[in-house]
C-alpha cells in the first residue's frame, strides 16, 4: 500500500521558506515606507498620529485641565471683546496681547491699523490658547509635551495671517500699488526655484559664489587623500609658527568651507595669520555605493588617519584637535578612545557647537523617536543615503518663520528676491550621509545616548569622555537650535580633564561660530573650570560670568597659544612623505 501524499515540507525546508517569506515581507515594508517617506518629507505618519492620540487621551482623562482651558477660552474672548471696545473709542489703544520677543511678523505699522490689528491679535490669542492646551497635561511626559507643542506651533504658523495675501497688509498695499505685478513676479520666482530644485541646480545667485574662486580661497595644498577624506594643509603666512599644528574636523553634514568662507570671514585664514599651522579635513560626498560606511569608518578614515599624516608632516608629536558640530562629536569619541588606549597625541581638544550628551538636544530631538528613526532608515535603505535636501528640510522646520514663511512672503507674495550672500550659498551646497552611518548616529547618540552613558563602543570596548586628560575648550552659541548651549554645557558633567574652558557666544549654530573680529553686535562669556573647582549650573554660570564685547576668536587663539610650546620654523607643505596632490580646496569639496 502506498503512503498518502502530503503537502507538508521537511522542517529544514519549512524554516527556509519561512525565513525567505520574512525577508520578502521586510523588503516590501521597507519599499512601501521609503515611498511614503518621500511623500511626507521624512515625517512618520505613525509617529505623528501616536503623538496626537497620546495627547488627546491624557487630555480626555484630565477634567480639571479641560475646565481650565474652557475658562481660558472665555477670558480670552472677553479680553478680545474689551480690546474691540477700546479700539472703537481710541484707534491707538494698547494691544490686548503682545507677541513673543523673537516674533516680528506683526511689528510693521500697518498691522496696528484696522482691521489688521484685530486679525493679528485674534491669531496671537488663539496661538496662546493652543500653547496652554498642549502644555501642563497630567500624565504627558516632558518630551512628548515639547513635541506636541512644537508640532502644533508649526501648524499654527502655517495659517498665520502674515502668510496670506488677503490678510497681510504689506502684501495688499504692494499688490494695489503694482497692479498685481508682485504676485506675477512671485509666481515666476516660485517656478524658477522649483525648476532649479528639480534639476539639482543651486539657488538663484549662488553662481556668484564659486568654491575656490570666491569661497574657500585660503592658499594651501591637498597633502593626503583616502576613500573618505582629503587633508588640506594651509600655506603659512608668518616666519615662525606655533610648534603644535591644528587639525580641524568639520561635520560631514556640511561642506568644510564654512570655516574658510571668504577673506575676512575665514577662521582658517585668521588662524594661519596668527602663526598656526592648520590642517583641514574635507569629506567626500557619499553616494549609494557608500551605504555601508559606518561611524567606525568615519573615525578611522577621518580624524585618526589625518592625525597620523599631520604628525608625519610636521614632526610634532602633539596636535591641537578642533571639531565642529558632528565633527566635534566624532573627534571627542576618537579622543576618548585615544585616552583609553594611552595615545597622548592630542595637546588640546576644542569643540565648536558640539554635543557629547544628547539627553537635552533641543527641538531636533522631536524628530528622533523610534518611529521616526525607523521611518528614516527605510528611506535611507532604499536609496543608500540621506539626501541633503531631506536633512535641510528638518533644520528649516526648526526655524520655519525665518527660513520658510519669511521667504514665502518676501519672494513669492511680495515678489522680491533676497540678495544671495556667502553664508546662504554655502548653506545651499548640500551633502549626503550614508545609510549605515546616519542610522548608527541617530540610534547610538541621539536615541540611546550611548556616549554619555559609557556604552559607546570603539574596537568593541566602551569609551568615556571623562578619560580625556587634554585641556578642553568648548564653544556654544546662544541661538543654537541644533546644539542648544545648555546641552553643550553638559561637557562639565561628563569630563574629568585638567581643565574645561566653556565659551558662550551670541549668534546661531553657524553665524555664531563665523564671528570674525570686527563683526558687529557680537559678545561672549568665557570661564575656565579647573580640575579642583566645583561645578556651576548653566543658569548660575550665565548670570555670574562677565560678558565681553567682540569676537571670541582672539580669546580662543590666546588660549591655543598658551597651550603651545613655542615658535618653530613652518613645515613644508606635505613634508617629505606626502607630496601635494592638488591645490586647495581640492576635489572632494566640488563633488555634487
Amino acid at each position: 500500500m502506498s503512503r498518502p501524499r502530503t503537502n507538508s515540507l521537511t522542517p529544514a525546508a519549512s524554516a527556509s521558506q519561512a525565513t525567505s517569506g520574512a525577508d520578502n515581507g521586510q523588503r516590501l515594508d521597507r519599499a512601501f515606507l521609503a515611498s511614503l517617506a518621500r511623500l511626507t518629507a521624512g515625517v512618520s505618519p505613525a509617529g505623528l498620529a501616536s503623538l496626537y492620540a497620546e495627547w488627546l487621551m491624557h487630555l480626555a482623562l484630565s477634567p480639571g485641565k479641560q475646565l481650565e482651558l474652557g475658562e481660558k477660552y472665555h477670558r480670552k474672548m472677553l479680553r478680545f471683546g474689551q480690546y474691540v471696545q477700546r479700539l472703537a473709542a481710541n484707534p491707538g489703544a494698547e494691544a490686548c496681547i503682545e507677541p513673543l520677543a523673537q516674533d516680528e511678523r506683526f511689528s510693521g505699522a500697518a498691522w496696528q491699523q484696522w482691521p489688521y490689528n484685530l486679525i493679528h491679535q485674534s491669531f496671537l490669542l488663539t496661538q496662546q490658547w493652543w500653547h496652554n492646551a498642549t502644555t501642563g497635561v497630567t500624565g504627558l511626559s516632558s518630551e512628548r509635551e515639547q513635541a506636541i507643542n512644537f508640532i502644533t506651533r508649526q501648524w499654527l504658523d502655517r495659517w498665520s495671517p502674515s502668510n496670506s495675501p488677503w490678510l497681510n497688509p504689506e502684501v495688499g498695499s504692494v499688490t494695489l500699488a503694482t497692479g498685481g505685478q508682485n504676485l506675477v513676479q512671485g509666481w515666476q520666482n516660485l517656478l524658477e526655484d522649483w525648476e532649479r530644485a528639480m534639476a539639482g541646480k543651486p539657488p538663484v545667485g549662488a553662481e556668484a559664489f564659486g568654491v575656490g574662486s570666491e569661497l574657500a580661497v585660503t592658499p594651501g595644498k591637498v597633502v593626503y587623500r583616502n576613500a573618505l577624506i582629503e587633508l588640506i594643509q594651509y600655506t603659512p603666512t608668518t616666519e615662525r609658527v606655533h610648534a603644535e599644528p591644528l587639525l580641524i574636523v568639520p561635520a560631514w553634514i556640511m561642506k568644510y568651507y564654512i570655516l574658510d568662507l571668504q577673506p575676512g570671514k575665514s577662521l582658517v585664514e585668521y588662524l594661519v595669520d596668527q602663526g598656526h599651522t592648520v590642517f583641514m579635513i574635507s569629506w567626500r560626498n557619499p553616494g549609494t555605493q557608500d551605504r555601508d560606511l559606518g561611524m567606525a569608518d568615519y573615525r578611522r578614515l577621518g580624524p585618526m588617519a589625518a592625525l597620523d599624516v599631520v604628525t608625519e608632516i610636521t614632526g610634532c608629536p602633539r596636535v591641537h584637535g578642533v571639531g565642529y558640530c558632528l565633527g566635534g562629536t566624532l573627534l571627542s569619541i576618537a579622543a576618548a578612545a585615544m585616552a583609553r588606549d594611552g595615545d597622548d597625541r592630542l595637546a588640546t581638544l576644542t569643540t565648536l557647537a558640539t554635543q557629547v550628551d544628547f539627553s537635552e538636544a533641543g527641538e531636533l530631538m522631536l524628530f528622533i523617536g523610534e518611529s521616526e528613526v525607523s521611518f528614516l532608515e527605510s528611506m535611507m535603505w532604499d536609496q543608500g543615503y540621506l539626501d541633503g535636501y531631506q536633512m535641510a528640510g528638518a533644520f528649516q522646520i526648526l526655524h520655519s518663520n525665518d527660513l520658510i514663511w519669511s521667504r514665502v512672503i518676501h519672494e513669492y507674495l511680495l515678489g522680491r528676491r533676497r540678495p544671495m550672500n556667502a553664508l546662504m550659498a554655502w548653506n545651499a551646497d548640500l551633502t549626503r550621509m550614508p545609510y549605515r552611518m546616519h542610522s548608527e548616529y541617530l540610534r547610538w547618540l541621539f536615541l540611546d545616548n550611548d556616549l554619555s552613558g559609557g556604552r559607546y563602543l570603539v574596537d568593541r570596548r566602551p569609551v568615556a569622555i571623562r578619560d580625556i586628560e587634554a585641556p578642553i575648550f568648548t564653544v556654544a552659541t546662544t541661538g543654537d537650535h541644533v546644539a542648544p548651549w545648555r546641552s553643550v554645557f553638559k561637557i562639565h558633567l561628563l569630563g574629568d580633564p585638567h581643565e574645561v574652558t566653556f565659551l558662550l557666544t551670541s549668534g546661531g549654530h553657524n553665524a555664531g561660530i563665523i564671528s570674525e573680529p570686527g563683526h558687529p553686535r557680537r559678545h561672549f562669556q568665557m570661564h575656565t573650570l579647573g580640575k579642583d573647582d566645583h561645578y556651576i549650573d548653566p543658569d548660575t554660570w550665565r548670570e555670574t560670568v562677565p560678558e565681553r564685547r567682540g569676537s571670541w576668536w582672539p580669546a580662543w587663539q590666546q588660549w591655543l597659544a598658551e597651550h603651545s610650546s613655542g615658535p618653530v620654523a613652518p613645515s613644508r607643505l606635505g613634508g617629505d612623505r606626502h607630496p601635494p596632490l592638488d591645490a586647495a580646496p581640492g576635489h572632494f569639496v566640488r563633488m555634487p
Side-chain angles (χ1 to χ4, degrees), residues 566-589:
V568 297
S571 302
R572 182 165 52 88
L573 298 189
D576 296 328
R577 300 180 58 182
H578 298 278
L581 305 173
D582 200 356
H587 172 65
F588 282 3
V589 73

Side-chain angles (χ1 to χ4, degrees), residues 211-257:
V211 176
S213 54
E214 287 77 29
L215 308 177
V217 296
T218 303
K221 298 290 185 181
V222 175
V223 295
Y224 173 76
R225 180 185 292 127
N226 62 29
L228 195 56
I229 72 164
E230 289 181 333
L231 183 65
I232 301 170
Q233 181 182 3
Y234 290 94
T235 304
T237 59
T238 56
E239 293 185 0
R240 306 282 285 177
V241 297
H242 297 284
E244 287 78 11
L246 273 73
L247 171 60
I248 302 179
V249 184
W252 52 90
I253 61 174
M254 60 178 73
K255 296 292 181 70
Y256 85 85
Y257 63 89

Side-chain angles (χ1 to χ4, degrees), residues 474-485:
T474 295
V475 179
T477 66
T478 57
D480 198 333
H481 288 258
V482 179
W485 78 268

Side-chain angles (χ1 to χ4, degrees), residues 14 127 140 148 163 172 206 260 431 448 456 490 544-545 592:
S14 178
Q127 183 176 257
L140 200 63
I148 192 69
N163 300 330
D260 184 26
T431 57
D448 298 333
Y456 192 97
K490 287 178 177 289
T544 56
V545 174

Side-chain angles (χ1 to χ4, degrees), residues 27 97 125 214 246-247 264 275 296 333 354 362 399 412 452 492 531 571:
R27 282 194 290 269
I97 181 173
L125 286 170
E214 287 77 29
L246 273 73
L247 171 60
I333 292 170
T354 293
H399 293 274
Y412 303 149
S452 68
H492 290 96
K531 185 177 181 64
S571 302

Side-chain angles (χ1 to χ4, degrees), residues 110-111 116 161-178 180 182-183 408-410 412-416:
W111 282 107
Y116 302 107
S162 60
N163 300 330
S164 170
W166 299 278
L167 301 178
N168 188 316
E170 184 180 5
V171 174
S173 62
V174 171
T175 302
L176 288 174
T178 64
N182 59 304
L183 299 178
V408 168
I409 295 169
H410 284 84
Y412 303 149
L413 297 183
L414 295 176
R416 302 168 182 168

Side-chain angles (χ1 to χ4, degrees), residues 287-576:
T288 303
Q289 72 278 8
D290 302 306
R291 62 182 302 123
D292 292 324
L293 287 174
M295 288 288 290
D297 298 305
Y298 272 78
R299 180 188 59 84
R300 178 176 56 86
L301 297 174
M304 297 312 297
L307 192 59
D308 292 339
V309 176
V310 170
T311 54
E312 289 173 356
I313 290 175
T314 63
C316 183
R318 306 273 282 169
V319 176
H320 296 298
V322 184
Y324 182 21
C325 186
L326 180 54
T329 305
L330 183 69
L331 184 60
S332 298
I333 292 170
M338 292 169 65
R340 180 198 65 188
D341 299 336
D343 185 341
D344 63 353
R345 286 181 292 174
L346 285 182
T348 65
L349 173 64
T350 297
T351 59
L352 312 177
T354 293
Q355 298 173 97
V356 290
D357 183 323
F358 293 80
S359 59
E360 296 182 38
E363 291 180 332
L364 195 60
M365 285 299 293
L366 305 178
F367 300 94
I368 313 297
E370 178 59 42
S371 176
E372 185 61 36
V373 170
S374 297
F375 201 60
L376 286 174
E377 285 176 339
S378 295
M379 182 170 61
M380 293 187 295
W381 171 86
D382 181 62
Q383 59 192 19
Y385 56 82
L386 184 68
D387 191 86
Y389 288 100
Q390 294 158 342
M391 174 60 71
F395 289 126
Q396 285 180 340
I397 290 175
L398 297 180
H399 293 274
S400 60
N401 277 330
D402 295 331
L403 300 180
I404 298 178
W405 303 121
S406 178
R407 181 184 179 187
V408 168
I409 295 169
H410 284 84
E411 300 202 1
Y412 303 149
L413 297 183
L414 295 176
R416 302 168 182 168
R417 282 288 192 194
R418 287 180 171 175
M420 181 66 63
N421 59 40
L423 191 59
M424 292 169 63
W426 165 83
N427 196 51
D429 193 1
L430 302 175
T431 57
R432 298 177 292 271
M433 285 176 285
Y435 161 71
R436 180 178 176 183
M437 184 286 304
H438 197 52
S439 177
E440 292 175 348
Y441 172 58
L442 290 178
R443 288 193 174 278
W444 296 348
L445 297 177
F446 271 96
L447 198 58
D448 298 333
N449 205 16
D450 285 344
L451 182 57
S452 68
R455 298 182 299 274
Y456 192 97
L457 303 181
V458 172
D459 296 330
R460 300 183 180 182
R461 297 166 56 202
V463 297
I465 298 298
R466 69 181 308 275
D467 288 341
I468 300 173
E469 295 185 355
I472 295 176
F473 194 102
T474 295
V475 179
T477 66
T478 57
D480 198 333
H481 288 258
V482 179
W485 78 268
R486 285 181 173 82
S487 180
V488 177
F489 193 85
K490 287 178 177 289
I491 185 66
H492 290 96
L493 298 173
L494 295 177
D496 189 25
H498 296 298
E499 64 178 60
V500 173
T501 300
F502 187 82
L503 186 148
L504 179 64
T505 182
S506 58
H509 186 71
N510 297 318
I513 300 301
I514 309 308
S515 182
E516 70 281 358
H519 193 295
R521 299 181 300 278
R522 283 288 182 250
H523 53 85
F524 67 93
Q525 297 166 271
M526 186 176 78
H527 178 262
T528 297
L529 192 73
K531 185 177 181 64
D532 298 324
D533 293 335
H534 295 294
Y535 170 73
I536 305 173
D537 67 271
D539 293 325
T540 302
W541 187 97
R542 193 168 189 185
E543 291 174 1
T544 56
V545 174
E547 185 177 282
R548 309 187 198 179
R549 308 301 299 178
S551 167
W552 61 269
W553 289 7
W556 176 49
Q557 194 282 136
Q558 181 180 352
W559 183 89
L560 287 172
E562 291 172 354
H563 289 81
S564 299
S565 57
V568 297
S571 302
R572 182 165 52 88
L573 298 189
D576 296 328

